[in-house]
Amino acid sequence: ADEEPVDPKKYLEDRCKPQCVKPFYAYEKCVKRVEADDTGHKHCTGQYFDYLSCVDKCVASKLFEKLK
């Protein structure tokens, strides 16, 4: 009766990740490119946030339908 509520966001994130392979591959390519950087000045923050943004956009439309 008093079950713990389940957060559908994690499930939806896992379902949306395959739709965002292009930004994910761009992030992986960047990581490989900068891993030899000894200065620490190069990073892949932009590519990482592009990937997260793609996943969030996909999740948002589905999540808000479930919360109504």
Side-chain angles (χ1 to χ4, degrees):
D2 288 339
E3 292 183 25
E4 190 71 27
V6 178
D7 183 9
K9 185 175 183 252
K10 180 67 178 155
Y11 169 77
L12 291 172
E13 284 176 343
D14 290 340
R15 303 262 307 165
C16 285
K17 286 179 182 178
Q19 297 177 27
C20 298
V21 291
K22 199 171 187 179
F24 181 71
Y25 287 146
Y27 170 68
E28 281 188 328
K29 282 176 62 177
C30 180
V31 168
K32 288 181 181 179
R33 195 171 54 245
V34 303
E35 66 186 4
D37 177 41
D38 295 332
T39 64
H41 291 235
K42 297 179 182 177
H43 56 82
C44 299
T45 306
Q47 289 83 352
Y48 183 69
F49 282 124
D50 288 345
Y51 171 63
L52 289 181
S53 176
C54 177
V55 173
D56 283 346
K57 284 180 185 177
C58 174
V59 168
S61 63
K62 294 173 177 70
L63 182 63
F64 287 109
E65 287 174 2
K66 292 187 180 288
L67 296 176
K68 289 183 179 179

